[in-house]
Amino acid sequence: MIDRPAPGPVAPSGADVTLTLPDGATRVVPAGTLAAEVVRSIGERLLMAAVAVSVNGEIQDLMTPLRTSGAFRVLTEKDADALAVLRHSAAHVLATAVRRLRPDAKIGFGPAIDDGFYYDFQVASPFTPDDLAAFEAEMRKVALEKYPFVRAEVDMPEARVRFADDPLKLERLDDFTDPAEIISTYTDGPFIDLCRGPHVPDTGRLKHFKLLSSAGAYWRGDEKRQMLQRIYGTAFFKKDELDAHLFQLEEAKKRDHRRLGKELDLFMLHPFSPGATFWTERGTTLYNVLVEFVRERQKRDFAEIKTPLLYNKALWEISGHWGKYKENMFLVLDVESGEHDVSLKPMNCPSHYLMYQGRKHSYRELPKRFVTFDVLHRNEVTGALSGLTRVRQFAQDDCHVFLREDQIEGEVKFLMDFILSYYETFGLTASLKFATRPETRIGDDAMWDRAEGALQKALEATGKPYALKEGDGAFYGPKIDFDVTDSIGRSWQLGTIQLDYAAPERFDLTYVGDDNTTHRPVVIHRAVSGSFERFIAILIEHFAGAFPTWLAPEQVRVLPITDAQAPGAAAIVERMVHAGIRAELDARSETLKYRVAEGARMKVPYMCVIGRREAETDQVAVNTRGAGEGQKPAPIGVDAFIARVVSESANRALTLEAGVTRGSDWIDVGAVPR
């Protein structure tokens, strides 16, 4: 792996660097001093515990020479930033193990990622599960050998000699076009890698790790290049943290929306329409319930509109998408011009601008909130498609707010409360991130200063805590991102509030102010669910398919014990349906135990069993999902039960009256009335 040198003022050769410690004390050392020597001067015990150091927020290891002055902090296992260093080192140890067992393997990249690490290898045939087990065992040997990570800085000729047998590394060396760039290598035992670091002091720091899977990956992400084998793994400083992560992964497999979507008959995918969803009757019900919930919440304060699907490229040229996003758009051949200058819309923003342009607006009617559920298309590469989480055709609960600049603070608070309360309905918690200007963007620095200042001020006025994501804003403006945490602790980026000063200028959007002259509004882009497809995937996994009553495609299943009770059971279903309950009759000839088990498999919230006694007394014996093994079906009057389900749905309760909606076992299918 190759990283670029950290930015910042580099001290000239022979000069000193001044390091400021967290307590305000300073250390002045010659430029080029190893970070380990500075840590040693603070304390030997600290050096033993040190994983890496931070210099002006940039992480480097103990064996990297210090070249810049600034804030200096020692990272130990307790620091969150240290985990990426451990995982990067684990990737290096993996490469060491693979090279020992497969000397023919060519070495690609080995970075740390959010949940672990991976390394890419060029080999003649794909790795097998047995290969991964052997590599992991060899990694443990490398760790026990406690090889120090030895850093060396070399010139280009020396680097090419060291990696003469590694064509992938030689290709990466071609990227070094600036003579001032530092080329560094790391060695642990006999293995050498081209890498900037940082790494832990020695391989013995790697104690708790696991190789997880392997998959194909194109070299440098280019589908026209050769296919490599990517091995994924994870590592932690503590065993209990590794165990918890592995448990979460196992739980995630059980909840995989692609498997549950098939088992619960919610949706299907087909190669004749890759990246597009076929919703079954049950899945369509779930989809529509979600959309209607969103529609209901927005009917007072938002104006729902519909806009066309196809647009000439001139629209996307004005918005800036044609130059920056064209490769992700589905282009359509214009019959008259013979050019691909028409496209399906990949987002709603420009069409909303055209709607706003359609008539004059007064300052009195702002903020104006346009919301739409139109279908969108994005040309994702085939290899990136994944169930409902990465598709080519989708719909968003997409909103664009046109407002005066003095309304930004109030609008951000309104939208934030709207978004957070939406997530609470599903039992999802959210954290906030403030994302600033990216490297590739439109607009000058003055516009970005204005936009970032306004949005950050509005965010801070809400009193909500947030983290900073420098450089992660949209190409047209800064944003607030909402990361939600599901029931098994995974984080998903969903909602967003983006402040846009560029679009009003590009589309000449105006309103008439109280001074009777035209003014320029600002635009806020707002999404809550993201795409409905992806949000439903998250909900499937969040609830493990056991939806709360209000969301469940089938809320109640009525099961007569014998044919004699079937007519009465059908009449009860009709009463339920008339009350707005999604109820179904299961009067098949199979045994009651089988039918109860089938309802359990489909995760129906309530199964109402009707025997002779229930039929005579206008009651149902209710099996409640998640009530626990050995439950006795509770008899209840039909009208009372209907009222209970209607109330649960109206209140959008997350729990069933006698059970839970997440992470619980099914009832004992033998516990049915006789």
Side-chain angles (χ1 to χ4, degrees), residues 298-304 369 371 399 414-415 418 526:
Q298 297 182 147
K299 64 184 178 183
R300 290 192 58 184
D301 299 307
F302 299 78
E304 184 177 340
R369 305 181 186 102
V371 66
C399 173
F414 168 79
L415 294 175
F418 184 96
R526 184 233 67 181

Side-chain angles (χ1 to χ4, degrees), residues 68-85:
T68 62
S69 297
F72 183 88
R73 183 168 62 91
V74 181
L75 304 183
T76 67
E77 293 182 5
K78 297 179 181 179
D79 291 278
D81 290 336
L83 192 55
V85 180

Side-chain angles (χ1 to χ4, degrees), residues 508-558:
D508 192 25
L509 307 181
T510 62
Y511 68 89
V512 178
D514 57 0
D515 58 0
N516 209 33
T517 64
T518 58
H519 298 266
R520 189 77 72 202
V522 291
V523 169
I524 288 180
H525 307 246
R526 184 233 67 181
V528 185
S529 301
S531 79
F532 286 114
E533 284 77 2
R534 183 168 177 266
F535 190 63
I536 288 174
I538 292 169
L539 291 182
I540 292 172
E541 299 189 6
H542 174 58
F543 291 116
F547 298 109
T549 303
W550 75 274
L551 264 181
E554 181 184 355
Q555 297 172 316
V556 179
R557 184 171 293 188
V558 179

Side-chain angles (χ1 to χ4, degrees), residues 215-370:
Y218 291 110
W219 170 232
R220 308 189 82 167
D222 185 348
E223 61 184 355
K224 297 179 181 178
R225 302 296 302 275
Q226 68 267 42
M227 178 72 74
L228 307 182
Q229 285 296 298
R230 174 170 295 176
I231 296 178
Y232 288 97
T234 192
F236 290 86
F237 284 111
K238 296 180 179 179
K239 184 178 184 301
D240 60 346
E241 293 176 344
L242 173 63
D243 291 342
H245 181 72
L246 295 179
F247 175 81
Q248 184 189 74
L249 292 179
E250 285 303 311
E251 190 66 20
K253 287 181 182 178
K254 298 176 187 176
R255 295 165 178 256
D256 190 317
H257 75 277
R258 292 164 295 188
R259 179 177 65 83
L260 287 175
K262 182 177 181 180
E263 291 179 0
L264 300 178
D265 190 26
L266 299 175
F267 67 89
M268 60 171 274
L269 303 170
H270 198 281
F272 283 175
S273 186
T277 309
F278 292 77
W279 294 100
T280 65
E281 182 179 354
R282 296 171 68 88
T284 300
T285 297
L286 171 62
Y287 189 102
N288 288 341
V289 168
L290 182 62
V291 171
E292 287 307 312
F293 170 56
V294 176
R295 183 172 274 129
E296 177 186 322
R297 295 185 81 241
Q298 297 182 147
K299 64 184 178 183
R300 290 192 58 184
D301 299 307
F302 299 78
E304 184 177 340
I305 61 174
K306 292 187 71 64
T307 59
L309 184 64
L310 286 171
Y311 294 87
N312 186 274
K313 71 175 182 179
L315 174 68
W316 309 112
E317 288 174 336
I318 296 173
S319 68
H321 289 98
W322 193 256
K324 299 179 182 296
Y325 203 77
K326 181 179 177 181
E327 67 276 8
N328 295 107
M329 298 166 71
F330 280 102
L331 305 183
V332 180
L333 180 67
D334 186 289
V335 178
E336 294 183 4
S337 68
E339 300 290 336
H340 286 85
D341 54 6
V342 177
S343 82
L344 298 172
K345 65 177 177 181
M347 65 279 297
N348 291 303
C349 328
S351 62
H352 286 192
Y353 305 152
L354 298 183
M355 286 288 287
Y356 183 88
Q357 279 182 336
R359 64 179 180 84
K360 289 186 177 181
H361 298 273
S362 165
Y363 73 97
R364 298 179 186 274
E365 63 183 284
L366 303 183
K368 186 71 174 178
R369 305 181 186 102
F370 286 154

Side-chain angles (χ1 to χ4, degrees), residues 542-610:
H542 174 58
F543 291 116
F547 298 109
T549 303
W550 75 274
L551 264 181
E554 181 184 355
Q555 297 172 316
V556 179
R557 184 171 293 188
V558 179
L559 304 91
I561 292 180
T562 70
D563 290 344
Q565 291 89 43
I572 289 174
V573 169
E574 288 303 312
R575 288 161 67 182
M576 291 179 178
V577 171
H578 183 73
I581 297 172
R582 295 185 291 278
E584 298 289 342
L585 174 68
D586 185 357
R588 293 175 295 169
S589 59
E590 280 83 359
T591 65
L592 181 60
K593 185 174 182 177
Y594 177 90
R595 286 180 284 151
V596 170
E598 177 70 10
R601 186 182 67 80
M602 297 303 290
K603 302 185 186 293
V604 179
Y606 295 108
M607 284 182 284
C608 296
V609 179
I610 301 176

